[in-house]
Amino acid sequence: MDHTKWEDSFLKDCVFLYQPSTPIIVAISPRYKADIEGCVEDSRGLHTKYIHTMMQHEFIQQGSLNFRFIPVLFLNASQKHVPGWLQNTRVYRWPQDTDDLLLRLLREERFVPPPVPVELTLIIRPVAAAP
Protein backbone atom coordinates (compact mmCIF):
# COMPACT_ATOMS: atom_id res chain seq x y z
CA MET A 1 0.00 0.00 0.00
CA ASP A 2 1.49 3.34 -0.99
CA HIS A 3 1.65 6.34 1.31
CA THR A 4 -1.38 8.16 -0.16
CA LYS A 5 -3.67 5.11 0.09
CA TRP A 6 -2.58 4.58 3.69
CA GLU A 7 -3.39 8.21 4.57
CA ASP A 8 -6.77 7.94 2.82
CA SER A 9 -7.71 4.85 4.80
CA PHE A 10 -6.44 6.36 8.06
CA LEU A 11 -8.12 9.76 7.64
CA LYS A 12 -11.47 8.33 6.53
CA ASP A 13 -11.75 6.82 10.01
CA CYS A 14 -11.33 10.28 11.50
CA VAL A 15 -14.88 11.66 11.56
CA PHE A 16 -13.66 15.10 12.68
CA LEU A 17 -12.06 15.86 9.29
CA TYR A 18 -15.13 14.84 7.34
CA GLN A 19 -17.70 16.93 9.22
CA PRO A 20 -18.47 19.75 6.78
CA SER A 21 -19.57 22.01 9.62
CA THR A 22 -16.21 21.79 11.40
CA PRO A 23 -14.01 24.83 10.66
CA ILE A 24 -10.38 24.15 9.83
CA ILE A 25 -7.65 26.68 10.59
CA VAL A 26 -4.97 26.77 7.91
CA ALA A 27 -1.73 27.99 9.52
CA ILE A 28 -0.03 30.03 6.79
CA SER A 29 3.74 30.49 6.94
CA PRO A 30 6.62 30.62 4.45
CA ARG A 31 7.37 26.97 5.26
CA TYR A 32 3.74 25.98 4.57
CA LYS A 33 3.92 27.63 1.14
CA ALA A 34 7.17 25.81 0.37
CA ASP A 35 5.71 22.46 1.47
CA ILE A 36 2.58 22.70 -0.67
CA GLU A 37 4.26 24.04 -3.80
CA GLY A 38 7.78 22.71 -3.70
CA CYS A 39 9.43 19.34 -3.87
CA VAL A 40 8.62 17.33 -0.75
CA GLU A 41 11.74 16.52 1.27
CA ASP A 42 10.42 14.86 4.43
CA SER A 43 7.37 13.07 5.80
CA ARG A 44 6.07 16.23 7.50
CA GLY A 45 6.06 18.06 4.18
CA LEU A 46 4.42 15.07 2.51
CA HIS A 47 1.59 15.10 5.07
CA THR A 48 1.19 18.87 4.67
CA LYS A 49 0.93 18.56 0.90
CA TYR A 50 -1.56 15.69 1.17
CA ILE A 51 -3.85 17.55 3.60
CA HIS A 52 -3.63 20.69 1.45
CA THR A 53 -4.71 18.66 -1.59
CA MET A 54 -7.68 17.24 0.35
CA MET A 55 -8.77 20.74 1.38
CA GLN A 56 -8.42 22.04 -2.16
CA HIS A 57 -10.55 19.17 -3.53
CA GLU A 58 -13.27 19.91 -0.98
CA PHE A 59 -13.16 23.59 -1.94
CA ILE A 60 -13.64 22.70 -5.61
CA GLN A 61 -16.46 20.25 -4.80
CA GLN A 62 -18.24 23.09 -2.95
CA GLY A 63 -18.30 25.15 -6.16
CA SER A 64 -15.22 27.15 -5.18
CA LEU A 65 -17.04 28.59 -2.17
CA ASN A 66 -15.23 28.58 1.14
CA PHE A 67 -17.30 28.14 4.25
CA ARG A 68 -14.89 26.00 6.24
CA PHE A 69 -11.22 26.89 5.81
CA ILE A 70 -9.87 29.79 7.85
CA PRO A 71 -6.41 31.01 6.77
CA VAL A 72 -4.34 32.51 9.58
CA LEU A 73 -1.07 34.32 8.82
CA PHE A 74 1.59 33.67 11.42
CA LEU A 75 4.77 35.66 11.98
CA ASN A 76 6.93 36.19 8.88
CA ALA A 77 4.01 35.30 6.60
CA SER A 78 2.25 37.62 4.18
CA GLN A 79 -0.60 37.49 1.68
CA LYS A 80 1.76 36.02 -0.93
CA HIS A 81 2.09 32.86 1.19
CA VAL A 82 -1.67 32.20 1.06
CA PRO A 83 -2.56 29.50 -1.52
CA GLY A 84 -4.27 30.85 -4.62
CA TRP A 85 -7.58 29.14 -3.95
CA LEU A 86 -7.81 30.87 -0.53
CA GLN A 87 -6.94 34.36 -1.81
CA ASN A 88 -10.59 35.51 -1.86
CA THR A 89 -11.19 34.41 1.73
CA ARG A 90 -10.89 36.62 4.79
CA VAL A 91 -7.32 36.10 6.02
CA TYR A 92 -6.62 36.60 9.73
CA ARG A 93 -3.29 37.73 11.19
CA TRP A 94 -2.01 36.19 14.40
CA PRO A 95 -2.09 37.69 17.03
CA GLN A 96 -3.56 41.00 15.74
CA ASP A 97 -6.92 39.49 14.67
CA THR A 98 -7.41 37.16 17.64
CA ASP A 99 -10.81 38.60 18.60
CA ASP A 100 -12.17 38.39 15.05
CA LEU A 101 -10.82 34.86 14.67
CA LEU A 102 -12.49 33.70 17.87
CA LEU A 103 -15.79 35.22 16.78
CA ARG A 104 -15.51 33.38 13.46
CA LEU A 105 -14.81 30.08 15.21
CA LEU A 106 -17.75 30.62 17.55
CA ARG A 107 -19.93 31.68 14.60
CA GLU A 108 -20.86 34.92 16.29
CA GLU A 109 -21.19 38.40 14.86
CA ARG A 110 -19.11 41.30 16.13
CA PHE A 111 -22.01 43.75 15.92
CA VAL A 112 -25.30 42.76 17.49
CA PRO A 113 -28.27 44.26 15.62
CA PRO A 114 -30.39 46.65 17.70
CA PRO A 115 -33.53 45.16 19.23
CA VAL A 116 -36.78 45.64 17.33
CA PRO A 117 -39.41 47.43 19.41
CA VAL A 118 -42.37 45.32 20.46
CA GLU A 119 -44.88 47.70 18.93
CA LEU A 120 -44.09 49.19 15.56
CA THR A 121 -45.50 52.54 14.53
CA LEU A 122 -47.27 52.62 11.17
CA ILE A 123 -47.98 55.95 9.53
CA ILE A 124 -50.32 56.09 6.53
CA ARG A 125 -50.20 59.14 4.28
CA PRO A 126 -52.50 59.57 1.29
CA VAL A 127 -50.77 59.93 -2.06
CA ALA A 128 -51.78 62.94 -4.10
CA ALA A 129 -53.40 62.06 -7.42
CA ALA A 130 -51.40 62.91 -10.51
CA PRO A 131 -52.91 65.72 -12.70
PDB file of all heavy atoms in Angstrom, residues 10 35 43 45 48-49 51 54 62 70 73 78 88-89 103 115-116 118 120 130:
ATOM      1  N   PHE A  10      -6.574   5.893   6.691  1.00  0.00           N
ATOM      2  CA  PHE A  10      -6.444   6.362   8.062  1.00  0.00           C
ATOM      3  C   PHE A  10      -7.362   7.552   8.332  1.00  0.00           C
ATOM      4  O   PHE A  10      -8.080   7.596   9.322  1.00  0.00           O
ATOM      5  CB  PHE A  10      -4.996   6.730   8.358  1.00  0.00           C
ATOM      6  CG  PHE A  10      -4.782   7.293   9.733  1.00  0.00           C
ATOM      7  CD1 PHE A  10      -4.803   6.477  10.845  1.00  0.00           C
ATOM      8  CD2 PHE A  10      -4.573   8.651   9.908  1.00  0.00           C
ATOM      9  CE1 PHE A  10      -4.621   6.994  12.119  1.00  0.00           C
ATOM     10  CE2 PHE A  10      -4.394   9.181  11.166  1.00  0.00           C
ATOM     11  CZ  PHE A  10      -4.415   8.353  12.273  1.00  0.00           C
ATOM     12  N   ASP A  35       6.121  23.867   1.409  1.00  0.00           N
ATOM     13  CA  ASP A  35       5.708  22.456   1.472  1.00  0.00           C
ATOM     14  C   ASP A  35       4.631  22.125   0.448  1.00  0.00           C
ATOM     15  O   ASP A  35       4.643  21.050  -0.138  1.00  0.00           O
ATOM     16  CB  ASP A  35       5.197  22.103   2.871  1.00  0.00           C
ATOM     17  CG  ASP A  35       6.319  21.911   3.872  1.00  0.00           C
ATOM     18  OD1 ASP A  35       7.492  21.787   3.458  1.00  0.00           O
ATOM     19  OD2 ASP A  35       6.023  21.897   5.083  1.00  0.00           O
ATOM     20  N   SER A  43       8.725  13.579   5.598  1.00  0.00           N
ATOM     21  CA  SER A  43       7.368  13.068   5.802  1.00  0.00           C
ATOM     22  C   SER A  43       6.418  14.164   6.280  1.00  0.00           C
ATOM     23  O   SER A  43       5.247  14.163   5.930  1.00  0.00           O
ATOM     24  CB  SER A  43       7.379  11.906   6.791  1.00  0.00           C
ATOM     25  OG  SER A  43       7.834  12.329   8.055  1.00  0.00           O
ATOM     26  N   GLY A  45       6.451  17.331   5.381  1.00  0.00           N
ATOM     27  CA  GLY A  45       6.060  18.059   4.176  1.00  0.00           C
ATOM     28  C   GLY A  45       5.105  17.256   3.314  1.00  0.00           C
ATOM     29  O   GLY A  45       4.186  17.801   2.698  1.00  0.00           O
ATOM     30  N   THR A  48       1.712  17.525   4.900  1.00  0.00           N
ATOM     31  CA  THR A  48       1.188  18.871   4.669  1.00  0.00           C
ATOM     32  C   THR A  48       0.629  18.981   3.260  1.00  0.00           C
ATOM     33  O   THR A  48      -0.484  19.489   3.057  1.00  0.00           O
ATOM     34  CB  THR A  48       2.289  19.929   4.875  1.00  0.00           C
ATOM     35  OG1 THR A  48       2.798  19.803   6.204  1.00  0.00           O
ATOM     36  CG2 THR A  48       1.767  21.332   4.662  1.00  0.00           C
ATOM     37  N   LYS A  49       1.372  18.487   2.298  1.00  0.00           N
ATOM     38  CA  LYS A  49       0.933  18.562   0.900  1.00  0.00           C
ATOM     39  C   LYS A  49      -0.327  17.724   0.683  1.00  0.00           C
ATOM     40  O   LYS A  49      -1.251  18.140  -0.008  1.00  0.00           O
ATOM     41  CB  LYS A  49       2.055  18.092  -0.019  1.00  0.00           C
ATOM     42  CG  LYS A  49       1.831  18.404  -1.464  1.00  0.00           C
ATOM     43  CD  LYS A  49       3.094  18.184  -2.261  1.00  0.00           C
ATOM     44  CE  LYS A  49       2.972  18.873  -3.597  1.00  0.00           C
ATOM     45  NZ  LYS A  49       4.255  19.016  -4.256  1.00  0.00           N
ATOM     46  N   ILE A  51      -2.701  16.897   2.953  1.00  0.00           N
ATOM     47  CA  ILE A  51      -3.852  17.549   3.596  1.00  0.00           C
ATOM     48  C   ILE A  51      -4.282  18.775   2.796  1.00  0.00           C
ATOM     49  O   ILE A  51      -5.473  19.029   2.614  1.00  0.00           O
ATOM     50  CB  ILE A  51      -3.531  17.895   5.069  1.00  0.00           C
ATOM     51  CG1 ILE A  51      -3.378  16.598   5.871  1.00  0.00           C
ATOM     52  CG2 ILE A  51      -4.601  18.798   5.667  1.00  0.00           C
ATOM     53  CD1 ILE A  51      -2.823  16.785   7.259  1.00  0.00           C
ATOM     54  N   MET A  54      -6.332  17.618  -0.089  1.00  0.00           N
ATOM     55  CA  MET A  54      -7.681  17.239   0.348  1.00  0.00           C
ATOM     56  C   MET A  54      -8.559  18.475   0.534  1.00  0.00           C
ATOM     57  O   MET A  54      -9.721  18.493   0.124  1.00  0.00           O
ATOM     58  CB  MET A  54      -7.613  16.455   1.663  1.00  0.00           C
ATOM     59  CG  MET A  54      -7.160  15.036   1.509  1.00  0.00           C
ATOM     60  SD  MET A  54      -7.055  14.161   3.086  1.00  0.00           S
ATOM     61  CE  MET A  54      -8.618  14.463   3.833  1.00  0.00           C
ATOM     62  N   GLN A  62     -17.241  22.154  -3.487  1.00  0.00           N
ATOM     63  CA  GLN A  62     -18.239  23.088  -2.955  1.00  0.00           C
ATOM     64  C   GLN A  62     -18.500  24.243  -3.921  1.00  0.00           C
ATOM     65  O   GLN A  62     -19.054  25.266  -3.530  1.00  0.00           O
ATOM     66  CB  GLN A  62     -17.783  23.643  -1.599  1.00  0.00           C
ATOM     67  CG  GLN A  62     -17.687  22.625  -0.508  1.00  0.00           C
ATOM     68  CD  GLN A  62     -19.043  22.049  -0.143  1.00  0.00           C
ATOM     69  OE1 GLN A  62     -20.052  22.730  -0.157  1.00  0.00           O
ATOM     70  NE2 GLN A  62     -19.069  20.768   0.153  1.00  0.00           N
ATOM     71  N   ILE A  70     -10.173  28.479   7.296  1.00  0.00           N
ATOM     72  CA  ILE A  70      -9.868  29.794   7.852  1.00  0.00           C
ATOM     73  C   ILE A  70      -8.354  29.997   7.807  1.00  0.00           C
ATOM     74  O   ILE A  70      -7.629  29.454   8.640  1.00  0.00           O
ATOM     75  CB  ILE A  70     -10.380  29.911   9.303  1.00  0.00           C
ATOM     76  CG1 ILE A  70     -11.883  29.605   9.359  1.00  0.00           C
ATOM     77  CG2 ILE A  70     -10.064  31.273   9.879  1.00  0.00           C
ATOM     78  CD1 ILE A  70     -12.423  29.459  10.753  1.00  0.00           C
ATOM     79  N   LEU A  73      -2.467  33.980   9.096  1.00  0.00           N
ATOM     80  CA  LEU A  73      -1.068  34.321   8.820  1.00  0.00           C
ATOM     81  C   LEU A  73      -0.305  34.403  10.129  1.00  0.00           C
ATOM     82  O   LEU A  73      -0.667  35.184  11.015  1.00  0.00           O
ATOM     83  CB  LEU A  73      -0.961  35.666   8.107  1.00  0.00           C
ATOM     84  CG  LEU A  73      -1.506  35.751   6.689  1.00  0.00           C
ATOM     85  CD1 LEU A  73      -1.414  37.177   6.184  1.00  0.00           C
ATOM     86  CD2 LEU A  73      -0.761  34.817   5.770  1.00  0.00           C
ATOM     87  N   SER A  78       2.990  36.521   4.797  1.00  0.00           N
ATOM     88  CA  SER A  78       2.252  37.617   4.180  1.00  0.00           C
ATOM     89  C   SER A  78       1.200  37.032   3.235  1.00  0.00           C
ATOM     90  O   SER A  78       1.114  35.817   3.065  1.00  0.00           O
ATOM     91  CB  SER A  78       3.193  38.548   3.416  1.00  0.00           C
ATOM     92  OG  SER A  78       3.761  37.855   2.322  1.00  0.00           O
ATOM     93  N   ASN A  88      -9.367  34.720  -1.984  1.00  0.00           N
ATOM     94  CA  ASN A  88     -10.593  35.509  -1.862  1.00  0.00           C
ATOM     95  C   ASN A  88     -11.315  35.283  -0.540  1.00  0.00           C
ATOM     96  O   ASN A  88     -12.478  35.633  -0.402  1.00  0.00           O
ATOM     97  CB  ASN A  88     -11.539  35.195  -3.028  1.00  0.00           C
ATOM     98  CG  ASN A  88     -10.993  35.721  -4.326  1.00  0.00           C
ATOM     99  OD1 ASN A  88     -10.252  36.698  -4.338  1.00  0.00           O
ATOM    100  ND2 ASN A  88     -11.326  35.082  -5.419  1.00  0.00           N
ATOM    101  N   THR A  89     -10.628  34.682   0.408  1.00  0.00           N
ATOM    102  CA  THR A  89     -11.191  34.406   1.727  1.00  0.00           C
ATOM    103  C   THR A  89     -10.633  35.417   2.722  1.00  0.00           C
ATOM    104  O   THR A  89      -9.517  35.889   2.558  1.00  0.00           O
ATOM    105  CB  THR A  89     -10.791  32.977   2.173  1.00  0.00           C
ATOM    106  OG1 THR A  89     -11.304  32.057   1.230  1.00  0.00           O
ATOM    107  CG2 THR A  89     -11.308  32.636   3.532  1.00  0.00           C
ATOM    108  N   LEU A 103     -14.393  35.029  17.157  1.00  0.00           N
ATOM    109  CA  LEU A 103     -15.794  35.222  16.776  1.00  0.00           C
ATOM    110  C   LEU A 103     -16.158  34.348  15.582  1.00  0.00           C
ATOM    111  O   LEU A 103     -17.241  33.760  15.540  1.00  0.00           O
ATOM    112  CB  LEU A 103     -16.064  36.695  16.466  1.00  0.00           C
ATOM    113  CG  LEU A 103     -16.086  37.630  17.666  1.00  0.00           C
ATOM    114  CD1 LEU A 103     -16.166  39.081  17.210  1.00  0.00           C
ATOM    115  CD2 LEU A 103     -17.246  37.289  18.585  1.00  0.00           C
ATOM    116  N   PRO A 115     -32.258  45.865  19.037  1.00  0.00           N
ATOM    117  CA  PRO A 115     -33.528  45.159  19.226  1.00  0.00           C
ATOM    118  C   PRO A 115     -34.667  45.874  18.502  1.00  0.00           C
ATOM    119  O   PRO A 115     -34.696  47.100  18.404  1.00  0.00           O
ATOM    120  CB  PRO A 115     -33.730  45.178  20.735  1.00  0.00           C
ATOM    121  CG  PRO A 115     -32.905  46.312  21.219  1.00  0.00           C
ATOM    122  CD  PRO A 115     -31.751  46.453  20.260  1.00  0.00           C
ATOM    123  N   VAL A 116     -35.600  45.090  18.006  1.00  0.00           N
ATOM    124  CA  VAL A 116     -36.776  45.639  17.332  1.00  0.00           C
ATOM    125  C   VAL A 116     -37.823  45.922  18.405  1.00  0.00           C
ATOM    126  O   VAL A 116     -38.094  45.066  19.247  1.00  0.00           O
ATOM    127  CB  VAL A 116     -37.324  44.624  16.304  1.00  0.00           C
ATOM    128  CG1 VAL A 116     -38.585  45.160  15.639  1.00  0.00           C
ATOM    129  CG2 VAL A 116     -36.258  44.300  15.274  1.00  0.00           C
ATOM    130  N   VAL A 118     -41.236  46.238  20.426  1.00  0.00           N
ATOM    131  CA  VAL A 118     -42.370  45.318  20.464  1.00  0.00           C
ATOM    132  C   VAL A 118     -43.513  45.846  19.597  1.00  0.00           C
ATOM    133  O   VAL A 118     -44.116  45.112  18.833  1.00  0.00           O
ATOM    134  CB  VAL A 118     -42.838  45.103  21.917  1.00  0.00           C
ATOM    135  CG1 VAL A 118     -44.058  44.214  21.958  1.00  0.00           C
ATOM    136  CG2 VAL A 118     -41.704  44.512  22.742  1.00  0.00           C
ATOM    137  N   LEU A 120     -44.567  48.349  16.651  1.00  0.00           N
ATOM    138  CA  LEU A 120     -44.093  49.189  15.561  1.00  0.00           C
ATOM    139  C   LEU A 120     -45.112  50.293  15.286  1.00  0.00           C
ATOM    140  O   LEU A 120     -46.319  50.092  15.432  1.00  0.00           O
ATOM    141  CB  LEU A 120     -43.882  48.361  14.303  1.00  0.00           C
ATOM    142  CG  LEU A 120     -42.814  47.275  14.410  1.00  0.00           C
ATOM    143  CD1 LEU A 120     -42.788  46.455  13.137  1.00  0.00           C
ATOM    144  CD2 LEU A 120     -41.458  47.891  14.646  1.00  0.00           C
ATOM    145  N   ALA A 130     -52.155  62.235  -9.464  1.00  0.00           N
ATOM    146  CA  ALA A 130     -51.396  62.913 -10.515  1.00  0.00           C
ATOM    147  C   ALA A 130     -52.360  63.698 -11.405  1.00  0.00           C
ATOM    148  O   ALA A 130     -53.455  63.226 -11.707  1.00  0.00           O
ATOM    149  CB  ALA A 130     -50.630  61.908 -11.336  1.00  0.00           C
TER     150      ALA A 130
END
